[in-house]
Amino acid sequence: EDPKNVVVASTMLVLGLGGAAISIVNGDFSITISGMSLAAVVGILLNLCIPNNKEEKKKIESADAKKEKETIMQSKELKHPLIEHKLAILRDKKTGTKEFRELTSEVAMFLCYEAMEEAELEEVEIETPITKLKTGKLNEDKYAFVPILRAGMGMLEGITRVIPNAKIGHIGMYRDEETFEPVNYFFKVPKHIEDKEVIILGPMLATGGSAVDAIELLKSKGVKKMKFLCIIAAPEGLERVQKEHPDVQIYCAHIDDHLNENKYIVPGLGDAGDRIFGTK
């Protein structure tokens, strides 16, 4: 029923069965293409040159949209009034260390809740005060949380409230103030980390350098399944992580506008590590 297919198929049949031929002569060299060979070449060229009909275009556009959606879904932004409320307090430069630390922990709990939406449960049998019941429970030993020191430690308390028996690793990095690139100084993870789903914690995803380095370190240990949790993300950081590690899902409380000339997130909330630990 597609007019394009009818044109291509009929042209190929006419050429193939009609004995049409094309000869190419260059001095002593000559080549002749005829029959089904000529029909095949012409068919390929026609298929490329004739535009698709509207329905086919819709299918292609739908496939492109699906691919774009999958890319967007790689970074999931939490949109909720409670999150926006808490972020407003976190961003305020008047917010003190104690409140900033508590709110960081609370937002981390929301992020963990969202990141565990597809967690697999194991069937167990328990006894309630009324009766026996088969239900699902999380095998907490299958998970490991790895904060990027030092700011990532501010998220850890909230995370361990949700999954208290998960194993904890640590990656130590600091930012070179001249190159703005991360410098690694510490790396220690639990045994059999390669068998666990690892969730990396870092409040700020700015250039993406620390996140990329952390992911590569964990992959070098054999980790296959990872997620990255951050409170504030810059588009530049998201793009870099998505490009270099498209298999890692990112969860953030908010995607901000851009990075300034000093590679700080705008509007951001300042240096998360300094505000969590009160060092400035």
Side-chain angles (χ1 to χ4, degrees), residues 144-149 153 156 167-171 186-190 193:
F145 293 101
V146 180
I148 299 176
L149 304 177
M153 291 296 293
L156 190 58
K167 302 299 183 286
I168 309 297
H170 296 87
I171 297 177
F186 185 75
F187 180 58
K188 189 173 179 63
V189 291
I193 189 75

Side-chain angles (χ1 to χ4, degrees), residues 2-194:
D2 187 345
K4 174 182 174 178
N5 292 340
V6 173
V7 171
V8 173
S10 58
T11 304
M12 291 176 68
L13 283 171
V14 169
L15 293 174
L17 299 176
I22 294 177
S23 295
I24 301 172
V25 180
N26 184 9
D28 295 334
F29 173 80
S30 67
I31 185 172
T32 300
I33 304 175
S34 62
M36 291 309 299
S37 299
L38 177 61
V41 172
V42 173
I44 292 169
L45 293 174
L46 284 175
N47 191 59
L48 292 172
C49 295
I50 299 176
N52 295 308
N53 61 28
K54 291 182 179 180
E55 188 175 340
E56 190 66 22
K57 283 183 178 178
K58 285 181 180 179
K59 288 180 180 179
I60 294 171
E61 288 170 0
S62 177
D64 291 341
K66 184 179 179 182
K67 187 176 180 181
E68 184 179 351
K69 184 178 179 182
E70 287 173 354
T71 302
I72 293 171
M73 285 302 292
Q74 189 192 336
S75 56
K76 187 168 184 179
E77 181 183 21
L78 272 61
K79 292 184 179 292
H80 193 282
L82 278 176
I83 296 291
E84 188 172 350
H85 165 71
K86 293 181 184 299
L87 284 178
I89 303 172
L90 278 171
R91 293 184 192 274
D92 193 334
K93 66 179 183 180
K94 296 178 182 177
T95 300
T97 301
K98 179 178 181 294
E99 190 174 13
F100 190 94
R101 189 181 300 135
E102 290 171 348
L103 285 169
T104 299
S105 178
E106 287 179 23
V107 174
M109 289 177 66
F110 285 112
L111 289 166
C112 185
Y113 171 84
E114 200 68 28
M116 299 298 292
E117 61 183 338
E118 296 178 356
E120 294 182 1
L121 300 176
E122 297 180 356
E123 188 179 87
V124 297
E125 185 176 285
I126 63 171
E127 189 169 354
T128 76
I130 309 300
T131 186
K132 289 183 178 180
L133 170 70
K134 286 186 177 180
T135 185
K137 286 188 72 175
L138 195 70
N139 185 347
E140 298 182 36
D141 192 53
K142 289 185 177 180
Y143 296 89
F145 293 101
V146 180
I148 299 176
L149 304 177
R150 63 184 168 139
M153 291 296 293
M155 301 173 68
L156 190 58
E157 182 182 351
I159 297 292
T160 52
R161 288 181 187 176
V162 181
I163 308 179
N165 293 312
K167 302 299 183 286
I168 309 297
H170 296 87
I171 297 177
M173 296 182 184
Y174 67 88
R175 187 174 82 154
D176 187 302
E177 295 302 327
E178 292 183 1
T179 64
F180 305 117
E181 289 297 315
V183 178
N184 303 337
Y185 65 88
F186 185 75
F187 180 58
K188 189 173 179 63
V189 291
K191 291 181 179 179
H192 308 300
I193 189 75
E194 68 277 4

